Short mmCIF file of all heavy atoms in Angstrom, two decimals:
data_model
loop_
_atom_site.label_atom_id
_atom_site.label_comp_id
_atom_site.label_asym_id
_atom_site.label_seq_id
_atom_site.Cartn_x
_atom_site.Cartn_y
_atom_site.Cartn_z
N GLU A 1219 0.82 -1.23 0.00
CA GLU A 1219 0.05 0.00 -0.02
C GLU A 1219 0.91 1.25 -0.01
O GLU A 1219 0.55 2.26 -0.71
CB GLU A 1219 -0.91 0.03 1.24
CG GLU A 1219 -1.83 1.26 1.37
CD GLU A 1219 -2.72 1.51 0.19
OE1 GLU A 1219 -3.08 0.47 -0.58
OE2 GLU A 1219 -3.16 2.67 0.02
N LEU A 1220 1.95 1.24 0.71
CA LEU A 1220 2.86 2.38 0.71
C LEU A 1220 3.53 2.64 -0.66
O LEU A 1220 3.69 3.71 -1.09
CB LEU A 1220 3.89 2.27 1.82
CG LEU A 1220 3.32 2.39 3.22
CD1 LEU A 1220 4.37 1.94 4.25
CD2 LEU A 1220 2.79 3.75 3.55
N TYR A 1221 3.85 1.48 -1.33
CA TYR A 1221 4.36 1.54 -2.66
C TYR A 1221 3.30 2.18 -3.69
O TYR A 1221 3.65 3.01 -4.52
CB TYR A 1221 4.80 0.24 -3.22
CG TYR A 1221 6.06 -0.37 -2.50
CD1 TYR A 1221 6.24 -1.73 -2.50
CD2 TYR A 1221 6.91 0.42 -1.85
CE1 TYR A 1221 7.29 -2.30 -1.84
CE2 TYR A 1221 8.05 -0.16 -1.18
CZ TYR A 1221 8.18 -1.51 -1.19
OH TYR A 1221 9.31 -2.02 -0.52
N ARG A 1222 2.09 1.77 -3.47
CA ARG A 1222 0.96 2.32 -4.23
C ARG A 1222 0.90 3.84 -4.06
O ARG A 1222 0.69 4.64 -4.98
CB ARG A 1222 -0.35 1.64 -3.99
CG ARG A 1222 -1.43 2.09 -4.96
CD ARG A 1222 -2.82 1.72 -4.43
NE ARG A 1222 -3.21 2.31 -3.25
CZ ARG A 1222 -3.50 3.58 -2.99
NH1 ARG A 1222 -3.56 4.39 -4.03
NH2 ARG A 1222 -3.90 4.02 -1.85
N ARG A 1223 0.99 4.26 -2.81
CA ARG A 1223 0.98 5.68 -2.55
C ARG A 1223 2.16 6.48 -3.14
O ARG A 1223 1.97 7.59 -3.57
CB ARG A 1223 0.95 5.94 -0.94
CG ARG A 1223 -0.39 5.52 -0.33
CD ARG A 1223 -0.31 5.67 1.14
NE ARG A 1223 -1.47 5.05 1.72
CZ ARG A 1223 -1.66 4.92 3.07
NH1 ARG A 1223 -0.71 5.52 3.95
NH2 ARG A 1223 -2.68 4.37 3.56
N ALA A 1224 3.26 5.81 -3.19
CA ALA A 1224 4.46 6.45 -3.85
C ALA A 1224 4.12 6.60 -5.36
O ALA A 1224 4.43 7.65 -5.90
CB ALA A 1224 5.71 5.66 -3.67
N MET A 1225 3.58 5.60 -5.97
CA MET A 1225 3.24 5.74 -7.42
C MET A 1225 2.13 6.82 -7.60
O MET A 1225 2.28 7.56 -8.50
CB MET A 1225 2.67 4.34 -7.94
CG MET A 1225 3.75 3.25 -7.95
SD MET A 1225 5.17 3.60 -8.95
CE MET A 1225 4.44 3.33 -10.58
N ASP A 1226 1.23 6.94 -6.69
CA ASP A 1226 0.19 8.04 -6.74
C ASP A 1226 0.91 9.38 -6.69
O ASP A 1226 0.57 10.31 -7.37
CB ASP A 1226 -0.78 7.94 -5.59
CG ASP A 1226 -1.87 6.79 -5.83
OD1 ASP A 1226 -1.97 6.24 -6.93
OD2 ASP A 1226 -2.54 6.58 -4.91
N ALA A 1227 1.96 9.48 -5.77
CA ALA A 1227 2.65 10.75 -5.77
C ALA A 1227 3.30 11.14 -7.03
O ALA A 1227 3.36 12.31 -7.38
CB ALA A 1227 3.65 10.69 -4.58
N PHE A 1228 3.83 10.17 -7.71
CA PHE A 1228 4.45 10.38 -9.05
C PHE A 1228 3.39 11.00 -9.98
O PHE A 1228 3.74 11.90 -10.72
CB PHE A 1228 5.03 9.13 -9.66
CG PHE A 1228 6.18 8.55 -8.95
CD1 PHE A 1228 6.27 7.16 -8.78
CD2 PHE A 1228 7.11 9.35 -8.25
CE1 PHE A 1228 7.36 6.64 -8.08
CE2 PHE A 1228 8.21 8.77 -7.54
CZ PHE A 1228 8.25 7.38 -7.47
N HIS A 1229 2.25 10.48 -9.96
CA HIS A 1229 1.17 10.84 -10.97
C HIS A 1229 0.40 12.05 -10.57
O HIS A 1229 -0.11 12.77 -11.37
CB HIS A 1229 0.25 9.66 -11.18
CG HIS A 1229 1.01 8.52 -11.76
ND1 HIS A 1229 1.60 8.48 -13.05
CD2 HIS A 1229 1.28 7.31 -11.23
CE1 HIS A 1229 2.21 7.31 -13.21
NE2 HIS A 1229 1.98 6.55 -12.21
N ARG A 1230 0.19 12.26 -9.27
CA ARG A 1230 -0.73 13.34 -8.79
C ARG A 1230 -0.02 14.58 -8.27
O ARG A 1230 -0.75 15.64 -8.13
CB ARG A 1230 -1.62 12.73 -7.70
CG ARG A 1230 -2.49 11.69 -8.21
CD ARG A 1230 -3.41 11.17 -7.14
NE ARG A 1230 -4.23 10.05 -7.69
CZ ARG A 1230 -5.24 9.60 -7.18
NH1 ARG A 1230 -5.70 10.10 -6.07
NH2 ARG A 1230 -5.89 8.57 -7.76
N ILE A 1231 1.17 14.57 -7.99
CA ILE A 1231 1.86 15.73 -7.37
C ILE A 1231 2.83 16.24 -8.53
O ILE A 1231 3.86 15.66 -8.74
CB ILE A 1231 2.58 15.44 -6.08
CG1 ILE A 1231 1.55 14.86 -5.05
CG2 ILE A 1231 3.29 16.69 -5.59
CD1 ILE A 1231 2.28 14.42 -3.80
N ALA A 1232 2.52 17.44 -9.09
CA ALA A 1232 3.30 17.91 -10.16
C ALA A 1232 4.53 18.72 -9.68
O ALA A 1232 5.58 18.65 -10.24
CB ALA A 1232 2.40 18.90 -11.09
N ASP A 1233 4.34 19.39 -8.51
CA ASP A 1233 5.43 20.19 -7.97
C ASP A 1233 6.55 19.33 -7.50
O ASP A 1233 6.32 18.49 -6.55
CB ASP A 1233 4.92 21.16 -6.85
CG ASP A 1233 6.02 21.94 -6.29
OD1 ASP A 1233 6.38 22.96 -6.83
OD2 ASP A 1233 6.53 21.61 -5.16
N PRO A 1234 7.76 19.46 -8.04
CA PRO A 1234 8.89 18.59 -7.56
C PRO A 1234 9.21 18.61 -6.07
O PRO A 1234 9.45 17.53 -5.43
CB PRO A 1234 10.06 19.01 -8.39
CG PRO A 1234 9.49 19.78 -9.53
CD PRO A 1234 8.19 20.33 -9.07
N ASP A 1235 9.12 19.80 -5.51
CA ASP A 1235 9.41 19.85 -4.07
C ASP A 1235 8.34 19.22 -3.17
O ASP A 1235 8.66 18.52 -2.18
CB ASP A 1235 9.52 21.33 -3.59
CG ASP A 1235 10.77 22.08 -4.13
OD1 ASP A 1235 11.74 21.33 -4.47
OD2 ASP A 1235 10.77 23.29 -4.39
N GLN A 1236 7.06 19.39 -3.58
CA GLN A 1236 6.01 18.70 -2.88
C GLN A 1236 6.06 17.17 -3.05
O GLN A 1236 5.85 16.47 -2.11
CB GLN A 1236 4.62 19.23 -3.34
CG GLN A 1236 4.25 20.64 -2.91
CD GLN A 1236 2.95 21.05 -3.50
OE1 GLN A 1236 2.38 20.41 -4.36
NE2 GLN A 1236 2.53 22.25 -3.02
N GLN A 1237 6.43 16.77 -4.22
CA GLN A 1237 6.55 15.29 -4.51
C GLN A 1237 7.66 14.75 -3.64
O GLN A 1237 7.50 13.69 -3.06
CB GLN A 1237 6.84 15.16 -5.99
CG GLN A 1237 6.77 13.67 -6.42
CD GLN A 1237 7.08 13.48 -7.87
OE1 GLN A 1237 8.26 13.39 -8.26
NE2 GLN A 1237 6.00 13.41 -8.64
N LEU A 1238 8.81 15.50 -3.58
CA LEU A 1238 9.91 15.01 -2.78
C LEU A 1238 9.51 14.87 -1.34
O LEU A 1238 9.87 13.89 -0.65
CB LEU A 1238 11.17 15.94 -2.99
CG LEU A 1238 12.37 15.57 -2.19
CD1 LEU A 1238 12.84 14.15 -2.57
CD2 LEU A 1238 13.50 16.55 -2.39
N THR A 1239 8.81 15.91 -0.85
CA THR A 1239 8.37 15.85 0.49
C THR A 1239 7.48 14.64 0.77
O THR A 1239 7.63 13.93 1.83
CB THR A 1239 7.60 17.22 0.89
OG1 THR A 1239 8.44 18.27 0.69
CG2 THR A 1239 7.06 17.11 2.26
N ARG A 1240 6.58 14.35 -0.04
CA ARG A 1240 5.66 13.27 0.07
C ARG A 1240 6.46 11.96 -0.02
O ARG A 1240 6.17 11.02 0.78
CB ARG A 1240 4.59 13.31 -0.99
CG ARG A 1240 3.58 12.10 -0.95
CD ARG A 1240 2.84 12.12 0.34
NE ARG A 1240 1.93 11.04 0.38
CZ ARG A 1240 1.72 10.28 1.47
NH1 ARG A 1240 2.33 10.59 2.65
NH2 ARG A 1240 0.88 9.28 1.47
N LEU A 1241 7.41 11.83 -0.88
CA LEU A 1241 8.19 10.65 -0.95
C LEU A 1241 9.07 10.32 0.23
O LEU A 1241 9.21 9.23 0.72
CB LEU A 1241 9.04 10.65 -2.28
CG LEU A 1241 8.32 10.60 -3.55
CD1 LEU A 1241 9.23 10.66 -4.74
CD2 LEU A 1241 7.48 9.32 -3.68
N GLU A 1242 9.59 11.45 0.76
CA GLU A 1242 10.33 11.31 2.05
C GLU A 1242 9.39 10.83 3.20
O GLU A 1242 9.78 10.03 4.01
CB GLU A 1242 10.95 12.71 2.45
CG GLU A 1242 12.09 13.04 1.59
CD GLU A 1242 13.39 12.21 1.85
OE1 GLU A 1242 13.37 11.39 2.79
OE2 GLU A 1242 14.29 12.34 1.11
N GLU A 1243 8.20 11.33 3.27
CA GLU A 1243 7.19 10.91 4.26
C GLU A 1243 6.96 9.43 4.08
O GLU A 1243 6.91 8.63 5.05
CB GLU A 1243 5.91 11.61 4.09
CG GLU A 1243 5.89 13.08 4.48
CD GLU A 1243 4.67 13.82 4.08
OE1 GLU A 1243 3.80 13.30 3.39
OE2 GLU A 1243 4.55 15.05 4.42
N LEU A 1244 6.75 9.00 2.85
CA LEU A 1244 6.48 7.54 2.55
C LEU A 1244 7.68 6.68 2.91
O LEU A 1244 7.59 5.60 3.39
CB LEU A 1244 6.14 7.34 1.14
CG LEU A 1244 4.69 7.93 0.77
CD1 LEU A 1244 4.46 7.98 -0.71
CD2 LEU A 1244 3.59 7.05 1.48
#
């Protein structure tokens, strides 16, 4: 499920900084 959320972050978060923040959380 956490991997799925990471894939979602790739597709749903366009801003690179926000994406990086989300990936660090994951």
Side-chain angles (χ1 to χ4, degrees):
E1219 177 61 22
L1220 292 169
Y1221 293 156
R1222 187 194 63 73
R1223 291 178 189 172
M1225 294 300 283
D1226 283 352
F1228 296 141
H1229 299 294
R1230 295 184 183 194
I1231 302 173
D1233 179 82
D1235 291 334
Q1236 289 178 349
Q1237 189 180 85
L1238 180 60
T1239 298
R1240 180 63 180 136
L1241 293 176
E1242 287 290 352
E1243 291 169 354
L1244 289 168

